[in-house]
């Protein structure tokens, strides 16, 4: 067989192979048939208007299940998803007190009265159980986070600044400063 032998498509229709050009000349493509479909072109369901809705398989979870659904019993050290569940256990009370006292001590926020032109930003307490390497409980941690996505640029804030530096970067800069 030589280069000019015919190529066979999946539907059995043959198309002649082109001889490779030595000078890389542009070869014009043959015109398409009247039905605008090449013999080997794929036909999709949207072209034939035969669309069917997707049906999920029975027994397959669409999203991964939270850890609390995988346990047989709800323990007091499980992470609560809301404030009302956290208030039922004393260790979460202690964690919330520590967080609130840290915010007051650091002067993170000031309590001001709302005005007509200000947007009030909500907040939420997020609860986490911090564990040691052996899976024992190190501490219960509560964080007060602001719902910053409710803020509007120019109305609630003008610019943002968040200094994020790793401790290893600081050590590297200090060691370079000492050696020079």
């Amino acid at each position: 067989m030589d280069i000019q032998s015919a190529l066979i498509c999946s539907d059995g229709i043959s198309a002649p192979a082109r001889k490779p050009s030595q000078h890389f000349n542009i070869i014009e493509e043959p015109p398409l048939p009247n039905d605008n479909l090449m013999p080997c072109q794929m036909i999709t369901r949207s072209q034939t208007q035969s669309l069917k809705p997707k049906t999920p398989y029975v027994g397959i979870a669409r999203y991964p299940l939270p850890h609390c659904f995988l346990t047989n019993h709800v323990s007091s050290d499980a992470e609560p998803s809301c404030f009302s569940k956290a208030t039922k256990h004393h260790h979460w009370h202690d964690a919330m007190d520590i967080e609130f006292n840290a915010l007051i001590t650091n002067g993170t926020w000031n309590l001001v009265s709302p005005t007509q032109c200000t947007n009030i930003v909500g907040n939420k307490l997020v609860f986490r159980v911090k564990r040691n390497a052996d899976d024992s409980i190190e501490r219960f941690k509560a964080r007060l986070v602001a719902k910053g996505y409710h803020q509007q640029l120019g109305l609630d804030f003008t610019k943002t600044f968040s200094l994020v530096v790793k401790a290893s970067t600081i050590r590297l800069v200090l060691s370079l400063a000492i050696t020079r």
Side-chain angles (χ1 to χ4, degrees):
M1 272 201 186
D2 59 351
I3 295 176
Q4 292 184 345
S5 62
L7 297 175
I8 307 296
C9 293
S10 62
D11 57 354
I13 300 173
S14 64
R18 295 181 191 264
K19 187 175 183 179
S21 174
Q22 295 176 353
H23 300 290
F24 301 105
N25 293 333
I26 298 175
I27 301 171
E28 291 185 23
E29 292 291 324
L32 294 174
N34 291 339
D35 59 356
N36 292 334
L37 294 175
M38 292 291 291
C40 297
Q41 188 175 1
M42 182 189 319
I43 299 173
T44 62
R45 290 191 299 157
S46 64
Q47 290 172 341
T48 60
Q49 279 80 32
S50 62
L51 299 175
K52 298 175 185 173
K54 290 185 179 180
T55 56
Y57 295 108
V58 177
I60 296 178
R62 187 172 186 168
Y63 301 104
L65 292 174
H67 180 68
C68 63
F69 290 145
L70 301 176
T71 58
N72 292 335
H73 65 285
V74 178
S75 62
S76 63
D77 63 324
E79 296 175 354
S81 58
C82 61
F83 178 78
S84 61
K85 290 181 184 177
T87 56
K88 296 177 182 174
H89 303 285
H90 67 88
H91 48 266
W92 290 116
H93 277 279
D94 297 340
M96 288 185 278
D97 286 340
I98 291 169
E99 174 68 8
F100 185 72
N101 290 334
L103 292 173
I104 298 296
T105 305
N106 294 333
T108 305
W109 51 270
N110 297 323
L111 185 62
V112 294
S113 58
T115 61
Q116 294 262 342
C117 62
T118 57
N119 184 16
I120 298 174
V121 178
N123 56 43
K124 181 180 179 177
L125 278 163
V126 178
F127 304 99
R128 293 285 179 257
V129 177
K130 298 297 181 177
R131 298 187 179 273
N132 294 320
D134 62 347
D135 206 31
S136 62
I137 296 174
E138 178 186 350
R139 64 188 165 118
F140 296 94
K141 187 172 184 177
R143 280 281 181 230
L144 184 69
V145 295
K147 297 177 182 177
Y149 50 85
H150 287 254
Q151 294 179 326
Q152 297 174 1
L153 178 64
L155 181 64
D156 300 316
F157 64 94
T158 54
K159 55 185 173 180
T160 60
F161 175 76
S162 177
L163 178 63
V164 180
V165 178
K166 292 184 178 180
S168 59
T169 306
I170 295 173
R171 284 194 296 268
L172 176 69
V173 170
L174 289 177
S175 66
L176 288 174
I178 290 171
T179 57
R180 301 201 184 227

